[in-house]
Amino acid sequence: MVTLIVLFAALIILILALAFSKSTSKVMSSNTKPVANLGKDELLSCYLPTQVQQRLSDVSVTWEKKGLKVYQYENGAPALQGQASEFRGRAQLFSDAVATGNASLLLQSVRSSDEGEYTCSISSSAGRGKVNIQLRVAVYSAATFRFSNGTLTAEASRWFPKPNVTWMHQTGIVLNATTNLTTSSAGIFSIISTLNADQSSDTYSCRIENNLVTAIAEATITGADVSGGTYFAFSVASTLFASVYLNTMTSLLCTYYTT
Ligand SMILES: *[C@@H]1O[C@H](CO)[C@@H](O)[C@H](O)[C@H]1NC(C)=O
Ligand SMILES: *[C@@H]1O[C@H](CO)[C@@H](O)[C@H](O)[C@H]1NC(C)=O
């Protein structure tokens, strides 16, 4: 009986210890699966939710990618000795934000080789912990519209992986369109899609989509004019297919960037 009670007590202590150790790892990210746009800057979100302003010298931040040092902040200053060469001059923290527990990393002019898993670790008087972020890289651009002689044309110049294009009338009816995809020597897709739109006042949406990015571009025709806007949504599923597909294109994308 006594043994049983001791066993139970031990079990409860173990459960409490596990729960406690979990709650001390408070580091979070507003997006653990971001999709960066090749050549553009990407913010990798990482923070320790805290109400109190801490002394900078009490906060240390480490960003790593598979054992490579991406960035480090310690004793109130960047500590960049040993930083992997591919991140030199391209990674930065927001030093004003670090004192409030915000260790988000700005990665500049993203390359396809930046794809992969990053670990952000924060240690401060307010707590400690780490979070993993899976960065994926795609190529995407907004659509622009033209309207003449009853033909509405959408153009988007940079897409990868290969997208699908579908059109819809504002009533929700799917419309037939003619879409031409051309590839640059680097394998980047350029889209020209045309639709018969004989109404002089109407709204259409053109959806450009691949496994990582969905762009919804809306065109409103008023008389001879057309106005439009594009918004983007990103896949949250980290599919093996996506990363395999992009990796096979890595060398091509690098060529694109160096030419
Ligand atoms: C952290 O700082 C960045 C850069 O100023 C900002 O965009 C982001 O919203 C901040 N995140 C939090 C959780 O405060
Ligand atoms: C779209 O094209 C298909 C096949 O070419 C045809 O059957 C259908 O009627 C067309 N729809 C419209 C709305 O034109």
Side-chain angles (χ1 to χ4, degrees), residues 93-122:
L93 295 194
F94 298 87
S95 36
D96 298 345
V98 171
T100 61
N102 185 344
S104 299
L105 183 86
L106 184 69
L107 190 56
Q108 290 168 313
S109 52
V110 167
R111 307 166 179 175
S112 53
S113 58
D114 290 336
E115 249 200 332
E117 187 166 87
Y118 292 73
T119 304
C120 166
S121 315
I122 305 177

Side-chain angles (χ1 to χ4, degrees), residues 173-176:
I173 296 167
V174 175
L175 301 167
N176 284 346

Side-chain angles (χ1 to χ4, degrees), residues 30 43 45-47 94 97 100 102-104:
S30 61
L43 186 77
S45 161
C46 172
Y47 61 94
F94 298 87
T100 61
N102 185 344
S104 299

